[in-house]
Amino acid sequence: APGVVRSIAPEKGGWKLALDHGEGWYSLYYPCPQVYVKTGERVNPGQEIARTGREFFWEVTNGGSPVDPRLFIEEQGLWR
């Protein structure tokens, strides 16, 4: 989803990126050994924002509450 990079913070194995998608929706991506965006940058759907390692975590929240990210993958037909 489109959004704005709100933070890039050190994380074991690289960096943790926080994106603000508006209307209370946020996503976190970590650890990312290499980052291709800057804090405050607007990002688009499908844009490569970072390189990830073998282990990768993706969190989605709405209003501060966790949301199962599989719902978004299923919506795009990517979850098998």
Side-chain angles (χ1 to χ4, degrees), residues 44-55:
N44 298 306
Q47 178 179 342
E48 188 173 16
I49 59 174
R51 183 173 60 84
T52 62
R54 285 187 65 170
E55 266 193 17

Side-chain angles (χ1 to χ4, degrees), residues 16-35:
K16 180 186 275 189
L17 280 71
L19 271 60
D20 178 351
H21 301 285
E23 298 182 14
W25 289 95
Y26 279 82
S27 58
L28 294 172
Y29 306 85
Y30 61 95
C32 302
Q34 199 166 24
V35 176

Side-chain angles (χ1 to χ4, degrees), residues 56 58 68-80:
F56 171 69
W58 174 38
D68 186 347
R70 288 181 291 190
L71 300 172
F72 301 99
I73 296 170
E74 290 168 354
E75 187 177 286
Q76 297 298 315
L78 301 173
W79 185 260
R80 308 259 186 265

